[in-house]
Amino acid sequence: MTLDRSIRPTGRGRPGLRRLLSDPSTALLVAQLITAAVAFVLNIASSRMLAPAGRGELALLLQIGYLASLGLLLGTDRSVVAAFSGAPAPAVARAFGRLLRAPSGVCVLVAVGAFAAPLAGLPTWGAGLGIALLFAVVNAFVRAVRSVAIAADRRREFLAYTLTGEVFRLAVTAVLLATGSDHVVTWLATYVLVGAVPTLVWWFRWTRGPGSASAPEATARARTEGLVLLPSALAHSGMLRLDRFLLAGLASTAALGLYAGVATMTEVLAWPLLAFADSRLGRWRADADAGRLRLRPLVLGIAAYAVAAGAVVGGAVALVLVPLLGPEFAPAGALVWPLVAAAMVFGVSQIAITLLIAHRRSSAASVVEVVGFAVSVVAFVVLIGPYGAAGAAYGSLLGYLGCLVVALVVLARVRAATRRAP
């Protein structure tokens, strides 16, 4: 990546390579690429085993888990990085554990209730909902591990955590394929298993050792700023996940399966940008406080990357879609380019929103995400009914565009105010 002065080529060969390899974002980026590669394989496997309708049901249950995890985190996955930047890993992990303890306990109790009282006429959905809620707890701690690694500069250990977890995921998936499993709940349960095992190991590792003293003031700051960022997190995930819910309700789970099959491959476009933004949040906040954060070259560099990567990924997905997922997914070919464009715009918008947080404009960041979410809702409701999965794809693109435009307008005002400041 050439998006930051600290990792630009130096013209001195190996020293430049060493700087790139030691850059804070590199380990996060490699971890994201590993996760993306495994998600790509898992998408192919589940699509072939479950067919579009089953793949859509799995996607719907996963969205329930992802959204529920936001209620457990309450925005702290970002605020902890800012509040505990540079703190020892045990201190950050223990503080995060205190933040997640009560909401996670409530979620587990609700999951047990879902198992005990299956939905009338939909017995498998009782089990599916219960497992989805357990997945929400696991996913909250997975995101917490990432935040701890960024705040405490344990990124290389996070890379090892990601690698072991994804190898485990591939092994479990191989077992499902070997046994011919075509049960949605079984596939969903593997998400809980492969997330929980490595996360428990690393969480135990990071909560031990020196530097684990209580930090109530920093924890309180993280909770407060997390609540300010919660609307942003909800709107952010709403834009990412609402399309799945509405597709299942306004179209069908088969349409959702087609959509999820393509979206899982195209959304990896944005992952390097998310890793880059998260790894830079602490530095950007320090630079913004000192008045030396340059916005224009950063945003232009990000946009250039998004366009170039989008062209490569879009062409590749269009080429391999049917050979990999099977002939049942041929109608999904029309979704590739609108979803590529949506992923590109989403990635750039998240950079802009992270820059707002770096400038201590967390409330503005939440407003930006809420505006994008509102645009998405209107677009989905209007377009999904008549156009199905294509309507969801273009609705996502419109929502992310609305988010990006508002974020850039606010950033321009922040930049102007910074220039006027003495």
Side-chain angles (χ1 to χ4, degrees):
M1 294 178 68
T2 59
L3 305 177
D4 191 274
R5 287 180 297 170
S6 65
I7 56 174
R8 287 178 181 167
T10 64
R12 294 192 297 270
R14 291 186 182 277
L17 178 60
R18 284 198 296 269
R19 179 176 293 185
L20 176 62
L21 294 175
S22 63
D23 185 83
S25 67
T26 301
L28 292 179
L29 175 57
V30 174
Q32 289 281 44
L33 292 176
I34 292 171
T35 302
V38 175
F40 188 85
V41 173
L42 191 61
N43 180 49
I44 296 169
S46 60
S47 296
R48 284 191 168 274
M49 294 301 298
L50 301 177
R55 179 67 180 87
E57 186 178 338
L58 175 63
L60 183 59
L61 287 167
L62 285 173
Q63 305 324 305
I64 293 173
Y66 285 127
L67 286 176
S69 67
L70 297 180
L72 308 183
L73 288 163
L74 295 174
T76 53
D77 53 330
R78 274 189 167 180
S79 65
V80 162
V81 174
F84 283 88
S85 181
V92 187
R94 289 195 171 190
F96 222 139
R98 288 191 294 272
L99 292 170
L100 287 175
R101 186 183 304 147
S104 295
V106 172
C107 192
V108 169
L109 291 177
V110 175
V112 172
F115 283 117
L119 300 179
L122 294 170
T124 59
W125 266 82
L129 182 59
I131 295 175
L133 292 175
L134 292 179
F135 171 68
V137 176
V138 171
N139 187 60
F141 277 90
V142 169
R143 294 177 68 167
V145 166
R146 186 173 186 271
S147 296
V148 172
I150 295 171
D153 195 18
R154 297 289 190 93
R155 294 171 178 85
R156 292 185 179 181
E157 291 181 52
F158 177 73
L159 177 57
Y161 158 80
T162 300
L163 183 60
T164 55
E166 296 306 327
V167 169
F168 183 34
R169 186 186 301 274
L170 286 174
V172 173
T173 302
V175 172
L176 292 178
L177 291 174
T179 57
S181 176
D182 59 357
H183 199 283
V184 172
V185 173
T186 302
W187 279 83
L188 180 63
T190 64
Y191 281 80
V192 179
L193 177 65
V194 299
V197 172
T199 300
L200 284 172
V201 172
W202 251 264
W203 200 261
F204 179 82
R205 173 189 176 96
W206 281 352
T207 52
R208 297 297 181 269
S212 58
S214 177
E217 292 183 1
T219 304
R221 285 199 307 272
R223 171 64 77 201
T224 300
E225 187 170 3
L227 291 174
V228 173
L229 289 169
L230 180 59
S232 172
L234 291 173
H236 169 86
S237 284
M239 285 189 290
L240 285 174
R241 312 296 178 189
L242 184 65
D243 48 1
R244 273 77 162 175
F245 287 104
L246 291 181
L247 257 178
L250 299 178
S252 65
T253 54
L256 174 56
L258 295 173
Y259 182 87
V262 177
T264 301
M265 292 188 280
T266 58
E267 67 188 10
V268 300
L269 266 170
W271 287 11
L273 297 181
L274 300 181
F276 181 75
D278 288 344
S279 69
R280 287 300 192 277
L281 177 56
R283 180 189 300 182
W284 287 348
R285 175 162 286 188
D287 288 345
D289 289 344
R292 59 175 181 265
L293 182 58
R294 300 175 61 198
L295 297 178
R296 180 177 293 179
L298 184 58
V299 173
L300 290 178
I302 293 291
Y305 158 81
V307 171
V312 173
V313 172
V317 172
L319 185 65
V320 304
L321 179 66
V322 174
L324 287 180
L325 301 189
E328 301 94 339
F329 284 82
L335 308 178
V336 172
W337 288 108
L339 284 174
V340 164
M344 291 162 49
V345 174
F346 169 68
V348 178
S349 71
Q350 292 307 300
I351 292 287
I353 288 167
T354 303
L355 288 169
L356 287 174
I357 297 172
H359 279 92
R360 300 187 184 274
R361 302 296 200 280
S362 296
S363 297
S366 288
V367 170
V368 168
E369 297 260 35
V370 169
V371 169
F373 175 66
V375 174
S376 296
V377 170
V378 174
F380 290 148
V381 171
V382 171
L383 296 176
I384 287 178
Y387 301 109
Y394 283 102
S396 293
L397 176 57
L398 290 173
Y400 298 148
L401 274 174
C403 185
L404 176 60
V405 168
V406 177
L408 291 177
V409 169
V410 177
L411 267 180
R413 293 183 176 180
V414 170
R415 182 169 175 264
T418 302
R419 285 185 167 185
R420 290 194 301 266

